[in-house]
Amino acid sequence: YAFSQLVDKSLKAEVKEFFFFDPLVFYSSEQKKARLDAYFQIPLENLQFKKNYNTKMYDASVNYAIKIINSAAETVVNESFTDYVTTSKNEQKKLEESAKFIVKEFFLNPGKYSIEITLSDLNTKREKTLKEKINIADFTTEDFSFSDIMIVSNLKKEAGKKIITPLVNKNIDNLKDFYLFFEIYNSMDSSAEKNYAYKITNSKDKIIEKGVFRYTLIPGVNKFFEKISTQNLVLGDYKLEISDSSGAKILAEKLFANKMNGLTFNNKDLDFFVDQLIYIANSDELNKIRNAPTSELKEKYFIEFWRSKDPSPNTSRNELMQEYYKRIKIANDRYSHYVDGWKTDMGMVFIIYGEPGNIERYPFSENTKPYEIWDYYNVNKQFIFVDDTGFGDYKLTTPIWDNDGTRLKN
């Protein structure tokens, strides 16, 4: 059945967070002290753009205010700056696919700090403040020490240089794999062979992945990228720990999550989402998910199904999945009566084909029952709905069949 047209539609996902912030601590061999890299990510769809009639472009302005306070309640950093984002008319149509990334550097002495970040959209005056506690380690006291861990969503090489996309929101979402980036500092005068254990645990402290990183560490700074598969990472919260080979001392850790396209639900909710796949999954795909022997496997198969449908698999956004559940929400808003709107005939047609090109409505008359005619010119289809009961329960006059020859609704 015709669902391929969804890939080409302009989509807009609901974004709950105004911006994301990830503070990462590294060691600067030039400055001989710790360097705090403050990473910011602002989804462009969260900003208000105004047309510049002189340049014919669209401009947004963001103010950043950064305050860092040490354990003695002394303000060691207090600064603000304004950044500008300019887009074309065509880029305005794809704001949901883009984000603004900024990184600011601060050199700090060892100790405990609190950092407060406030971002303001100068066009709308929308403002958001985030606060975090950070610990700046003394990298000079250990023979071997770790930086913080950065999660990287994309890693590629251009002209011999590694180009990375930091995952500032720490949500691995739709990614099939991601990368860890970290540095190990060897303060000794000679190289050393070192083994480090790593593990990924879920919110119940169950170990999901574990292994060993083996490195030859030269004196000074050693940079590493490690590829992590998300195959076994179902929806939920996770913690990555890197420890010494015995596992007794944690050397670095990172919290992250898998909230697929912003969906969060428990096992009961998952069954509901799986039932809603009826208009896009075939019977074999549905049975595989529904009959999974454990809830973990059910989540895994559910994620695998949507990844198999992803029109842009190298990004964290699954546009088809977002559009599908967006249509379900609209169907519920428009067509619900004594059943959910997505279960009605009108809801089904809308979810599969989207907005009709034309609707003709014929209300109740003496000789005919109320009916509607929906035309989809792009796929050369027409659907007729009749309200036999007079209570707004419009039924298709001709059923829809899927590609397996199965009637979609009884």
Side-chain angles (χ1 to χ4, degrees):
Y1 43 92
F3 215 99
S4 60
Q5 67 266 29
L6 290 183
V7 175
D8 300 321
K9 290 185 66 65
S10 177
L11 306 173
K12 180 147 184 157
E14 181 179 350
V15 177
K16 296 181 180 179
E17 295 294 338
F18 181 32
F19 73 98
F20 301 97
F21 169 61
D22 193 17
L24 301 171
V25 180
F26 297 88
Y27 179 69
S28 171
S29 55
E30 294 82 8
Q31 297 288 330
K32 304 298 182 185
K33 63 193 314 183
R35 184 187 78 242
L36 171 65
D37 290 351
Y39 282 86
F40 304 89
Q41 177 184 350
I42 309 176
L44 294 191
E45 60 187 326
N46 291 350
L47 299 178
Q48 176 68 56
F49 287 81
K50 292 185 177 180
K51 186 174 182 178
N52 186 323
Y53 288 94
N54 293 324
T55 63
K56 309 298 182 184
M57 303 291 279
Y58 295 80
D59 301 328
S61 305
V62 183
N63 187 76
Y64 301 75
I66 304 171
K67 182 183 288 187
I68 301 177
I69 301 173
N70 64 18
S71 57
E74 300 169 330
T75 299
V76 296
V77 173
N78 190 7
E79 64 178 62
S80 65
F81 62 97
T82 300
D83 190 58
Y84 303 93
V85 183
T86 298
T87 62
S88 66
K89 185 176 181 179
N90 286 335
E91 289 171 334
Q92 281 287 301
K93 300 175 183 178
K94 300 180 180 180
L95 290 182
E96 72 278 358
E97 301 175 7
S98 302
K100 175 73 174 182
F101 291 91
I102 287 181
V103 59
K104 297 289 289 184
E105 293 182 350
F106 304 97
F107 295 96
L108 300 172
N109 294 319
K112 296 183 182 299
Y113 296 83
S114 62
I115 182 168
E116 180 178 299
I117 307 293
T118 301
L119 263 65
S120 306
D121 182 339
L122 299 183
N123 286 339
T124 63
K125 307 305 179 185
R126 180 184 179 186
E127 187 174 283
K128 176 73 175 181
T129 298
L130 295 179
K131 299 179 181 180
E132 284 206 30
K133 302 288 186 181
I134 55 174
N135 182 49
I136 305 296
D138 187 348
F139 292 100
T140 63
T141 60
E142 301 285 343
D143 293 339
F144 302 94
S145 53
F146 270 72
S147 72
D148 283 341
I149 301 172
M150 174 192 291
I151 297 181
V152 176
S153 62
N154 192 29
L155 173 64
K156 59 183 179 180
K157 282 189 176 182
E158 291 183 3
K161 293 184 178 180
K162 289 185 173 69
I163 307 297
I164 67 171
T165 303
L167 195 64
V168 181
N169 65 10
K170 301 181 283 293
N171 178 16
I172 61 173
D173 202 347
N174 189 54
L175 297 173
K176 294 182 178 179
D177 46 56
F178 62 96
Y179 296 86
L180 310 175
F181 170 73
F182 52 87
E183 296 178 347
I184 305 178
Y185 309 108
N186 178 2
S187 62
M188 308 290 285
D189 294 329
S190 59
S191 298
E193 302 291 330
K194 300 290 287 185
N195 295 335
Y196 298 101
Y198 76 90
K199 66 178 181 180
I200 297 175
T201 55
N202 63 16
S203 57
K204 298 179 180 179
D205 290 328
K206 178 182 178 181
I207 297 177
I208 308 300
E209 299 282 353
K210 65 179 180 178
V212 177
F213 298 141
R214 295 180 172 85
Y215 302 125
T216 299
L217 303 179
I218 62 173
V221 180
N222 297 262
K223 301 175 184 289
F224 298 102
F225 288 93
E226 294 291 348
K227 189 175 183 179
I228 304 294
S229 171
T230 64
Q231 182 178 1
N232 296 319
L233 302 179
V234 298
L235 304 177
D237 297 315
Y238 294 93
K239 179 168 66 174
L240 167 78
E241 293 179 346
I242 301 177
S243 59
D244 59 16
S245 57
S246 68
K249 182 180 180 181
I250 299 174
L251 304 172
E253 65 179 18
K254 188 73 172 183
L255 300 177
F256 65 97
N258 182 2
K259 297 179 180 178
M260 197 171 185
N261 285 275
L263 293 175
T264 56
F265 42 75
N266 55 37
N267 291 338
K268 183 178 178 181
D269 292 329
L270 180 57
D271 289 337
F272 186 70
F273 280 106
V274 171
D275 288 342
Q276 291 177 333
L277 296 179
I278 187 173
Y279 304 134
I280 191 172
N282 61 40
S283 57
D284 289 340
E285 291 169 326
L286 273 175
N287 289 335
K288 178 181 177 180
I289 301 172
R290 285 172 171 165
N291 299 330
T294 65
S295 59
E296 289 82 4
L297 271 179
K298 183 176 291 187
E299 281 191 26
K300 181 180 178 181
Y301 294 158
F302 178 79
I303 294 172
E304 288 176 350
F305 169 81
W306 278 114
R307 284 178 177 164
S308 71
K309 304 292 183 183
D310 188 4
S312 53
N314 294 324
T315 68
S316 61
R317 184 185 295 271
N318 188 329
E319 297 87 349
L320 184 62
M321 179 182 181
Q322 289 179 333
E323 177 67 5
Y324 189 75
Y325 286 108
K326 174 185 173 183
R327 289 187 184 183
I328 286 177
K329 182 180 183 304
I330 294 173
N332 286 337
D333 291 341
R334 291 182 184 176
Y335 311 118
S336 293
H337 37 85
Y338 56 86
V339 297
D340 292 337
W342 71 271
K343 297 180 179 180
T344 66
D345 284 5
M346 282 186 166
M348 172 181 62
V349 172
F350 175 80
I351 291 167
I352 296 174
Y353 294 100
E355 294 285 358
N358 182 64
I359 297 179
E360 297 179 21
R361 293 184 172 93
Y362 298 90
F364 179 83
S365 67
E366 184 176 349
N367 298 319
T368 61
K369 296 178 179 179
Y371 68 98
E372 292 189 11
I373 301 174
W374 291 12
D375 286 299
Y376 288 87
Y377 304 119
N378 57 333
V379 291
N380 193 29
K381 288 185 178 293
Q382 183 182 85
F383 300 97
I384 302 174
F385 304 88
V386 178
D387 181 8
D388 288 319
T389 64
F391 292 100
D393 184 16
Y394 285 84
K395 298 289 188 181
L396 275 170
T397 58
T398 304
I400 297 179
W401 305 82
D402 67 14
N403 291 339
D404 296 330
T406 302
R407 186 172 176 171
L408 283 178
K409 287 179 85 273
N410 294 324

